[in-house]
Amino acid sequence: MNNNKLHQQFIASLVKEKRWVRFYQLLILIAFFSLWEIASSNRWIDPLIFSSPSKVYTLFIDNIADGTLFTHISYTLFETVLGFIIGTLLGTILAAILWWSPFLSKVLDPYLVILNAMPKVALGPILIVAMGPGMGSIITMGAIISVIISTIVIYTSFKNVDANYLKVLQTFNATRLQMFKEAILPASFPTIISTLKVNVGLSWVGVIVGEFLVSSKGLGYLIIYGFQVFNFNLVLMSLLIIAVFATIMYQLVELLEKKLIKNE
Amino acid sequence: MNFLNVSKVHHTYFSKEAATEALQDINLSINKGEFVSFIGPSGCGKTTLLSIIAGLFQPTLGTVKIEGQDVFENDDLSIGYMLQQDYLFPWKTIEENITLGLKLLKKENHSIASKLLKDVGLPPVEKKYPRELSGGMRQRVALARTLAVNPKILLLDEPFSALDYQSKLKLEDLVSEMLKEYNKTAILVTHDLGEAIAMSDRIFLFSPRPGRLYKTFEVPEEIRNLTPFEARGHSSYSSLFQLIWKELESLEQ
């Protein structure tokens, strides 16, 4: 048998494996929703609390038809994306400042630890009183929850860039800004991307909690409203929509990763 | 007038635990176009001295002057520094890597990359990334990057030690040939005594703790004019090797 044929076989086996993976993934999805539906309609679980896929679906169609759902989704999505971008950007900038001034980083070290350990959502009430019960405070919440951990992780990555790269730049008389641009930042892109991935989840938490506290629009509001009027169809529908959009955001970050990191 | 003058250089490293004297009263001078090597047991401060000559940090005491100018006070003095590993930037193409120094010195010149690649004996790989090249090829690219800025002096910090033997011999010949062609002054730090003899005009032997200049050896004329590869086969090569080897042995006791 020649190499070409063996290679063909190898590729065929890869394709086959991928198909089986997809098959089982789909199977789990279908099994989950079917089981949920059956359990609910047979009252193995309380349909009032756990709802059922068919009820969620009916509600979803109704809400799309009357146009309210679209407003809620776009509201929350806007807040989350903005909170996510601000959080990561601010984290990167803070990390750059700490890298720039080793003295400042030594001074601020314990404060970063404290701020990181503190549950940021507890700041919610203060934010809302200070900034007013609007979109601003919710976006801030989405950003604040990720900014400190981003700063710490990215700063650590800045510090761990191989000093020999800097040595190379130094022999070319590079300034500190050039060192940052040519070596420190690009070498840390993989870390920044992985913080982005973590921040996708964190920003959703921040925004939803923010909406719990104050909002009159958005998916977080729908959840808390559904809870108050004991409409768990609404709660579960919002949850499923959040899951879908969080996944899409995550996929977009992965797309960015492929674009940005060409060398691996 | 000497090209490079190192006078009365002392250097001490400070840490919380101790002050370690790395270099003690180093005086040496090198002529233009000369190739010299620094050898000695580990801890003899040869890499420290090289970094000081490169202007990476200032010595505790003493001065280093190139063509009469202090290496710390002069910002546009270009120095080529080659490290043990290539340290090519993995996210830059070969061309971007080679022209990096020119970019930083604001003298961009893209056509130089293809010319230098040819000079260091590589095919046109400008658009490739470092990971696509072998270790020997990458070190050649690093050499091209170093030469791109047209440095006055080349500092080689064990640049061949991470390579396989065959690539190492080939690269030694290449570097030696190119330096002669461009009439560049170079300092090589190495652990490999044979390499030092085969490549240099003069060899400085350092003794450890604290680093001091122990002895200087002149490489005989007949070896200097050979390529490093041919030099290794010459009869005076082994006698010089024996001589320096004995000195090294005595230092390590």
Side-chain angles (χ1 to χ4, degrees):
Chain A
M1 232 193 278
N2 61 12
N3 253 339
N4 213 342
K5 202 160 178 189
L6 284 171
H7 187 220
Q8 296 283 327
Q9 275 181 4
F10 174 72
I11 290 172
S13 76
L14 279 185
V15 170
K16 202 173 162 191
E17 193 197 5
K18 195 168 181 189
R19 250 186 233 149
W20 278 110
V21 169
R22 287 272 179 262
F23 171 75
Y24 280 109
Q25 285 171 337
L26 206 66
L27 193 70
I28 290 173
L29 192 75
I30 293 168
F32 174 74
F33 282 106
S34 320
L35 210 65
W36 183 8
E37 182 70 41
I38 294 164
S40 177
S41 61
N42 289 330
R43 298 194 161 261
W44 299 339
I45 53 175
D46 188 342
L48 197 64
I49 300 170
F50 294 103
S51 183
S52 75
S54 57
K55 280 187 205 152
V56 169
Y57 181 73
T58 324
L59 184 69
F60 179 68
I61 296 297
D62 286 349
N63 276 339
I64 282 190
D66 65 18
T68 49
L69 191 58
F70 181 73
T71 328
H72 289 300
I73 292 176
S74 57
Y75 199 77
T76 302
L77 205 59
F78 178 74
E79 290 164 345
T80 310
V81 170
L82 215 62
F84 163 75
I85 291 172
I86 293 173
T88 315
L89 218 60
L90 215 63
T92 311
I93 292 169
L94 281 175
I97 293 171
L98 291 180
W99 176 80
W100 196 272
S101 164
F103 182 74
L104 188 68
S105 87
K106 274 179 201 157
V107 171
L108 292 184
D109 182 62
Y111 296 102
L112 280 176
V113 173
I114 293 166
L115 284 175
N116 185 45
M118 191 180 61
K120 261 73 63 183
V121 288
L123 288 174
I126 300 169
L127 273 179
I128 286 157
V129 174
M131 300 181 64
M135 213 180 215
S137 49
I138 295 172
I139 294 171
T140 312
M141 193 82 155
I144 219 170
I145 201 167
S146 57
V147 68
I148 299 296
I149 188 69
S150 303
T151 307
I152 293 175
V153 173
I154 296 172
Y155 171 60
T156 309
S157 149
F158 283 173
K159 263 198 319 193
N160 289 341
V161 173
D162 193 327
N164 283 307
Y165 284 116
L166 301 180
K167 213 173 185 180
V168 169
L169 292 173
Q170 226 184 326
T171 62
F172 295 134
N173 293 325
T175 61
R176 210 158 158 79
L177 183 66
Q178 283 173 326
M179 284 186 196
F180 183 77
K181 229 176 67 188
E182 299 293 339
I184 301 290
L185 189 63
S188 303
F189 275 153
T191 313
I192 294 177
I193 293 287
S194 52
T195 15
L196 281 176
K197 286 180 182 168
V198 176
N199 290 353
V200 168
L202 286 178
S203 309
W204 279 96
V205 174
V207 165
I208 297 297
V209 169
E211 287 182 350
F212 277 7
L213 289 175
V214 53
S215 189
S216 55
K217 277 194 220 88
L219 295 168
Y221 161 75
L222 283 188
I223 291 175
I224 212 79
Y225 174 75
F227 165 63
Q228 281 162 353
V229 300
F230 227 70
N231 180 356
F232 280 84
N233 296 336
L234 194 58
V235 174
L236 282 161
M237 180 193 73
S238 310
L239 250 171
L240 287 175
I241 293 171
I242 290 171
V244 168
F245 279 99
T247 311
I248 292 173
M249 253 171 97
Y250 191 87
Q251 297 288 334
L252 287 176
V253 172
E254 281 200 327
L255 211 69
L256 181 75
E257 180 176 26
K258 282 197 189 117
K259 274 224 128 98
L260 214 56
I261 302 173
K262 291 169 279 189
N263 55 304
E264 267 149 44
Chain B
M1 175 78 196
N2 292 312
F3 177 74
L4 171 85
N5 256 315
V6 176
S7 67
K8 299 191 187 106
V9 166
H10 290 256
H11 193 75
T12 308
Y13 286 113
F14 296 99
S15 71
K16 237 187 250 170
E17 291 75 29
T20 321
E21 194 169 22
L23 291 171
Q24 198 181 66
D25 196 28
I26 306 291
N27 292 289
L28 56 90
S29 53
I30 298 166
N31 300 319
K32 188 162 174 56
E34 200 177 12
F35 192 117
V36 304
S37 293
F38 292 172
I39 60 169
S42 35
C44 72
K46 50 193 193 292
T47 298
T48 305
L49 183 58
L50 201 70
S51 305
I52 289 172
I53 294 173
L56 295 178
F57 51 81
Q58 201 146 9
T60 316
L61 283 173
T63 54
V64 178
K65 286 186 175 171
I66 291 180
E67 289 184 330
Q69 286 178 302
D70 196 297
V71 290
F72 302 102
E73 285 158 15
N74 192 351
D75 274 349
D76 28 70
L77 195 66
S78 48
I79 280 163
Y81 199 99
M82 255 179 103
L83 296 151
Q84 199 168 43
Q85 264 142 43
D86 52 80
Y87 289 105
L88 296 177
F89 293 73
W91 51 87
K92 289 180 186 287
T93 62
I94 297 303
E95 181 178 3
E96 287 166 340
N97 266 295
I98 292 177
T99 54
L100 176 65
L102 293 170
K103 184 178 161 194
L104 295 177
L105 299 164
K106 309 224 159 36
K107 289 189 266 192
E108 243 161 309
N109 173 358
H110 286 289
S111 58
I112 200 171
S114 53
K115 183 191 168 291
L116 279 168
L117 278 176
K118 215 181 286 164
D119 286 356
V120 297
L122 284 178
V125 290
E126 292 99 316
K127 301 295 170 213
K128 294 204 172 177
Y129 284 92
R131 80 193 126 94
E132 298 172 73
L133 306 185
S134 70
M137 289 168 90
R138 293 169 57 134
Q139 197 57 290
R140 280 167 195 253
V141 175
L143 175 65
R145 172 175 69 187
T146 312
L147 292 173
V149 293
N150 194 19
K152 286 205 163 136
I153 182 167
L154 246 88
L155 306 176
L156 310 167
D157 190 359
E158 302 187 47
F160 313 114
S161 61
L163 299 174
D164 60 275
Y165 198 62
Q166 205 187 355
S167 310
K168 174 186 157 106
L169 291 180
K170 281 190 190 162
L171 211 59
E172 281 175 16
D173 275 9
L174 175 78
V175 168
S176 161
E177 182 198 338
M178 290 193 73
L179 292 179
K180 273 195 187 122
E181 192 186 317
Y182 290 87
N183 191 30
K184 294 261 183 256
T185 315
I187 302 174
L188 171 72
V189 163
T190 182
H191 275 114
D192 181 344
L193 180 51
E195 182 174 281
I197 298 171
M199 294 192 76
S200 341
D201 302 322
R202 262 194 303 164
I203 296 169
F204 295 99
L205 176 61
F206 289 82
S207 64
R209 277 171 286 272
R212 264 175 306 206
L213 182 52
Y214 183 69
K215 230 172 199 163
T216 310
F217 299 91
E218 288 272 341
V219 177
E221 194 69 40
E222 62 264 30
I223 302 184
R224 280 192 226 169
N225 296 330
L226 298 175
T227 66
F229 185 77
E230 291 164 343
R232 283 173 199 265
H234 198 277
S235 57
S236 353
Y237 169 87
S238 36
S239 54
L240 185 57
F241 191 98
Q242 294 300 334
L243 179 71
I244 304 179
W245 178 256
K246 280 197 191 107
E247 295 286 354
L248 258 172
E249 287 277 89
S250 72
L251 277 180
E252 276 174 0
Q253 271 151 24

